[in-house]
Amino acid sequence: MTTTQLPDSGELAELRQRYALERERRVRPDGAGQYRPTEAEFGYYAADPYAKETAERDPLHDTVDVAVVGGGFGGILTGARMRQQGVERVRIVDEGSDFGGTWYWNRYPGIHCDVESHVYLPMLDETGYVPEWKYSPGEEIRRHAMRIAEMYDLYPDALFSTSVTSLTWDADTEKWIVATDRGDAFSATYVVTATGTLTEPKLPGIPGIETFQGHTFHTSRWDYAYTGGTPDGGLTGLAGKRVGIVGTGATGVQVIPMLAEDASHLYVFQRTPSSVDVRGNRRTTAEDVRADHDGWARERRENFLRIVSGETADEDLVADRWTSSAALLEKLLPSFRREDGGPSFESAYEVADAAKMNELRTRVELDVTDPDTAEKLKPWYRYACKRPTFSDKYYAAFNRDNVSLVDTADTHGIERITEDGVVVGGTTYALDCLIFATGFSVGVSGVQSGKLPVHGRGGTQLLHAWAQRGPRTLHGFTSNGFPNLIRMGSLHNASSVNYTHILDEQAVHAAALVAAAQAEHAVIEPSPEAEDAWLAVMAKDAPDHEWFHAECTPGYYNREGLGRPNGPTAYPHGAVAFHQLLARWREESIGEALRAKEV
Ligand code: NDP
């Protein structure tokens, strides 16, 4: 199915024109302002459908060694790596009623990881677990998160169904006071924030959204009480129901084939089509993934990271569409430009990108019977503009008589929602159930959003400090004025499509910092000079991605079409080099740096 013919300069020029046109059709002046948070009258959409009955408990005022905000993989790995370093009292706090984070909240039908399980699931070497599928279903991943938490004894001290509301440094005791919405105000010598990035479901601000009288929910809070069934399907509650789904991103692509099987009629309201590549999911054995020696998972994960980061590797162990498309991944955006300062003409990169996207558009033609529907499902933008998706069932769903694709690009999304349906282009689609697969607000959780106020030395608020001079950190983890506070996340750090790998490296680093600080009786706090030095390292080779994102169709990657600011937001030489830098730093200078207040 691959297109072997490479596009010539005429075709490239046509593609550029078409991409610009498709972007124009979708850019909205309100940008990210088009969305509504799931709060107040929309709070219903964020309520926890999986909450366990929690016994009332008295507020806590005790002291722990480490408080971890967030019980997803970031928090669990932090707990596990702290235990390996011999840290005793580790208390993880999470809004959900169990561990899992993303995998706690997202349980929609069809949910799978889209990075290979054998590199996505962390601590496989330590737990001895070998995933059963090349791409695991969500429940297998959630169970694995719980497995790590059990193995490292993280349950007894954990606080679930609890939100941290503020972190305040107490100079007298040299501890953080962790306040929560359950009245807790406990002390912690160290705090690690592992609050995730895409955590708060968002809704489109479509006029009339609040008037809909049918059943409605967000995919990250799936209502099985209404639909029946499980993440494996069997949604018997949808028999006889007209169902609408808004959104065709990575979530929509996984859930739509499942809804198609059980709804009486499914209307898919699409604004921008995803690129949907071959999935090839299958059961796997330990032999398939060479899980026959200690460290097999670490080796596989490193191999994947090297390939998707554009580094060389002797062998491609994962061998899937991520690795074969590696040259097109965001990390490899071309930095070369035209003489006049614009993006390069006909670069090798652009040719490869066009060939890949042509291949994906051809796939639509081959898999979708109705030519008009196929045309609407074709993605017209460059590969790295939107999160690539993978499915072998998605396009087939549109060949069913009970599935209709409703394209909303010309009206910048759905026009209006009424009491009993959705209006697009003047046509009303009557619905019994309306499901939002409309994604998550970006940058609204954790310390960077202001939703979790952090008061450091002298009461200084972290965000106030950063508002004046921009974010200042050492390695992304620590900041002057905020002693013993370690932040996880990609800011000033690294990122990858295999984000759990990044989180695990961060957890290893956080645990090493805490262990060294305990041994040295030192406070973890970088000097302003150490921050300056790190900012200079990031600024030196900061890539110029702005033009690329400015030409993409809107989405959360480019702030809904506004483009992404340049400047030092991450380590410029990629995750592999960053991890090496951190490991060397831990080996050679952690103790000295602590004593010199350089970390
Ligand atoms: P996205 O933000 O990627 O997608 C939201 C969808 O809603 C888009 O198709 C968007 O269209 C559409 N939309 C928004 N507003 C409107 C409107 N007014 N009218 C019509 N359509 C509208 O969210 P997802 O939940 O799909 O994915 C978020 C991220 O989560 C992914 O990028 C990925 O990182 C992760 N994820 C990973 C998975 C995995 O690994 N298995 C699975 C699912 C998600 P438009 O594009 O035009 O804005």
Side-chain angles (χ1 to χ4, degrees):
M1 194 218 44
T2 46
T3 306
T4 43
Q5 223 179 351
L6 292 179
D8 60 24
S9 58
E11 192 183 343
L12 286 181
E14 273 171 34
L15 277 179
R16 265 181 237 132
Q17 225 174 8
R18 177 77 193 257
Y19 290 178
L21 199 80
E22 295 288 341
R23 175 187 150 84
E24 271 320 294
R25 282 173 79 200
R26 292 176 176 84
V27 172
R28 296 170 44 135
D30 50 358
Q34 68 184 280
Y35 294 107
R36 296 282 163 276
T38 42
E39 295 170 349
E41 62 178 315
F42 299 116
Y44 153 80
Y45 285 95
D48 183 356
Y50 321 111
K52 296 174 194 158
E53 285 290 317
T54 43
E56 282 299 309
R57 61 172 178 81
D58 291 331
L60 296 175
H61 294 92
D62 58 350
T63 300
V64 296
D65 295 319
V66 183
V68 183
V69 188
F73 272 124
I76 297 166
L77 290 166
T78 299
R81 298 298 181 191
M82 293 282 173
R83 287 278 193 258
Q84 288 179 329
Q85 291 278 5
V87 180
E88 281 171 16
R89 291 212 64 188
V90 179
R91 174 172 294 152
I92 301 180
V93 187
D94 198 277
E95 289 174 29
S97 64
D98 207 325
F99 287 113
T102 292
W103 302 98
Y104 173 88
W105 296 107
N106 287 278
R107 304 191 198 187
Y108 55 79
I111 185 166
H112 283 72
C113 58
D114 65 5
V115 168
E116 195 206 59
S117 337
H118 307 91
V119 299
Y120 181 80
L121 269 62
M123 298 195 103
L124 293 178
D125 293 313
E126 290 83 348
T127 56
Y129 185 68
V130 182
E132 294 170 8
W133 289 87
K134 189 153 174 85
Y135 305 95
S136 293
E139 193 55 15
E140 186 181 2
I141 304 169
R142 197 172 71 84
R143 298 253 159 232
H144 186 65
M146 294 158 75
R147 177 179 298 120
I148 299 172
E150 267 157 24
M151 182 167 164
Y152 289 96
D153 205 23
L154 301 174
Y155 273 97
D157 261 327
L159 296 181
F160 293 120
S161 303
T162 303
S163 300
V164 175
T165 49
S166 70
L167 298 169
T168 308
W169 177 249
D170 179 348
D172 294 336
T173 59
E174 297 222 310
K175 296 199 188 311
W176 287 94
I177 310 293
V178 182
T180 77
D181 64 349
R182 304 270 300 253
D184 308 299
F186 65 89
S187 300
T189 312
Y190 309 93
V191 171
V192 180
T193 59
T195 44
T197 44
L198 298 171
T199 55
E200 207 169 279
K202 70 178 171 9
L203 294 173
I206 301 168
I209 186 171
E210 70 289 350
T211 63
F212 183 65
Q213 295 299 306
H215 200 71
T216 178
F217 55 90
H218 189 277
T219 45
S220 66
R221 305 289 188 273
W222 196 268
D223 189 352
Y224 284 104
Y226 177 81
T227 65
T230 69
D232 294 328
L235 311 174
T236 50
L238 297 183
K241 299 272 180 2
R242 297 157 303 176
V243 178
I245 181 159
V246 189
T248 54
T251 301
V253 165
Q254 292 189 335
V255 83
I256 284 164
M258 309 298 281
L259 289 171
E261 278 179 24
D262 292 306
S264 147
H265 200 95
L266 177 67
Y267 294 94
V268 177
F269 298 100
Q270 169 190 274
R271 191 165 62 182
T272 312
S274 278
S275 71
V276 187
D277 209 338
V278 172
R279 175 68 312 174
N281 200 7
R282 57 182 183 273
R283 281 204 173 266
T284 47
T285 63
E287 206 179 4
D288 293 335
V289 294
R290 303 186 207 167
D292 54 2
H293 59 284
D294 283 347
W296 70 270
R298 187 171 31 79
E299 287 163 21
R300 196 173 179 92
R301 190 173 78 162
E302 290 294 342
N303 176 265
F304 182 79
L305 187 69
R306 289 193 73 78
I307 293 172
V308 297
S309 305
E311 311 267 338
T312 52
D314 292 340
E315 200 183 351
D316 177 0
L317 293 173
V318 169
D320 70 355
R321 292 294 165 127
W322 280 118
T323 57
S324 69
S325 304
L328 299 176
L329 294 179
E330 196 185 358
K331 286 281 167 278
L332 299 185
L333 291 180
S335 51
F336 39 111
R337 300 165 70 95
R338 265 190 251 147
E339 296 277 288
D340 62 6
S344 71
F345 252 46
E346 297 172 27
S347 64
Y349 175 86
E350 192 181 7
V351 172
D353 190 309
K356 177 75 198 177
M357 291 307 284
N358 281 347
E359 174 196 318
L360 293 173
R361 287 186 283 264
T362 305
R363 184 178 193 221
V364 186
E365 276 170 21
L366 294 174
D367 288 4
V368 178
T369 326
D370 173 48
D372 184 44
T373 305
E375 212 44 48
K376 288 178 182 151
L377 285 166
K378 287 183 185 173
W380 293 102
Y381 43 80
R382 288 170 71 151
Y383 186 72
C385 280
K386 283 197 174 260
R387 167 87 180 192
T389 74
F390 308 85
S391 173
D392 299 332
K393 298 179 185 156
Y394 183 66
Y395 290 134
F398 294 93
N399 295 333
R400 300 175 64 116
D401 291 339
N402 69 328
V403 177
S404 305
L405 178 68
V406 184
D407 193 65
T408 70
D410 284 330
T411 45
H412 290 99
I414 291 167
E415 264 169 76
R416 215 154 22 93
I417 295 179
T418 64
E419 282 187 10
D420 40 39
V422 159
V423 183
V424 180
T427 304
T428 302
Y429 298 86
L431 300 172
D432 301 299
C433 175
L434 180 57
I435 301 170
F436 290 98
T438 44
F440 305 87
S441 302
V442 177
V444 299
S445 64
V447 296
Q448 272 165 255
S449 69
K451 284 214 170 153
L452 172 50
V454 180
H455 303 273
R457 281 191 199 283
T460 306
Q461 257 219 51
L462 184 77
L463 281 193
H464 291 175
W466 283 5
Q468 283 157 17
R469 299 179 67 194
R472 293 177 55 80
T473 76
L474 174 62
H475 301 151
F477 293 108
T478 53
S479 295
N480 182 260
F482 300 88
N484 291 351
L485 176 74
I486 303 171
R487 275 185 325 277
M488 300 181 91
S490 53
L491 178 77
H492 293 187
N493 199 280
S495 198
S496 162
V497 295
N498 190 15
Y499 201 59
T500 53
H501 187 172
I502 301 294
L503 291 173
D504 199 13
E505 294 286 344
Q506 294 183 348
V508 165
H509 195 77
L513 281 175
V514 167
Q518 284 184 328
E520 297 283 339
H521 301 289
V523 169
I524 305 170
E525 185 182 5
S527 62
E529 292 75 25
E531 292 176 335
D532 285 339
W534 183 239
L535 284 170
V537 168
M538 285 189 300
K540 188 165 171 284
D541 294 311
D544 173 9
H545 286 170
E546 195 180 3
W547 65 266
F548 179 88
H549 286 287
E551 290 178 3
C552 283
T553 42
Y556 79 88
Y557 273 21
N558 68 350
R559 294 189 302 148
E560 302 300 330
L562 290 181
R564 248 172 30 179
N566 271 319
T569 55
Y571 181 66
H573 302 294
V576 175
F578 183 65
H579 294 161
Q580 285 165 354
L581 178 148
L582 286 185
R584 208 167 38 242
W585 184 87
R586 286 195 298 270
E587 206 168 294
E588 291 170 6
S589 35
I590 192 166
E592 197 186 311
L594 275 169
R595 285 188 294 277
K597 285 186 138 276
E598 281 172 358
V599 59

